[in-house]
Amino acid sequence: MDEQVEEVRRLLEAIERLERMQDDEACAKAVTQVLDTWPDNHARLRELRQARVQRMKDSGMTWQQIGAVLGVHPTRAQQIAKGLRGSKRPPKKGESEE
């Protein structure tokens, strides 16, 4: 991506501040708190992106234009709008497909 959005920069700076914490216990506790909430926040971010991609499409943008904005292939932009995640890896030998 050409330019980092301010909110992205601030999020990455927060992670860097965690890395710079001198107190190992405080750092480990803070990172644990972040990781404990990450699954919910990850889902929120995916849903936010999906909604915004759908709005871009509804406003008349093509999948190619949306893909260019996101830095992904147009097909991936369509998948995002549908709420589809990346393809799953095939199971390893001996693992069952569930």
Side-chain angles (χ1 to χ4, degrees):
M1 293 188 178
D2 301 334
E3 187 177 308
Q4 202 171 60
V5 176
E6 173 67 15
E7 289 77 7
V8 173
R9 185 184 61 73
R10 291 184 2 214
L11 177 62
L12 296 175
E13 286 174 353
I15 294 170
E16 289 171 3
R17 285 193 302 276
L18 288 169
E19 291 174 330
R20 289 192 304 265
M21 289 177 74
Q22 296 298 309
D23 184 326
D24 292 334
E25 290 178 21
C27 179
K29 183 176 180 179
V31 171
T32 297
Q33 290 172 347
V34 171
L35 292 174
D36 284 348
T37 65
W38 188 249
D40 293 334
N41 288 315
H42 187 253
R44 285 174 60 194
L45 288 171
R46 276 195 328 272
E47 290 165 5
L48 175 61
R49 180 177 65 170
Q50 178 184 357
R52 296 301 175 104
V53 167
Q54 288 171 341
R55 282 174 42 179
M56 288 189 287
K57 183 62 177 165
D58 292 344
S59 76
M61 291 179 74
T62 66
W63 291 121
Q64 187 156 355
Q65 290 169 323
I66 295 169
V69 168
L70 300 178
V72 300
H73 192 276
T75 302
R76 180 65 187 127
Q78 285 181 291
Q79 292 169 340
I80 291 168
K82 293 177 183 178
L84 300 176
R85 297 183 184 185
S87 62
K88 294 184 178 183
R89 294 184 197 139
K92 294 179 183 176
K93 286 185 178 182
E95 290 182 356
S96 62
E97 288 186 62
E98 291 183 31

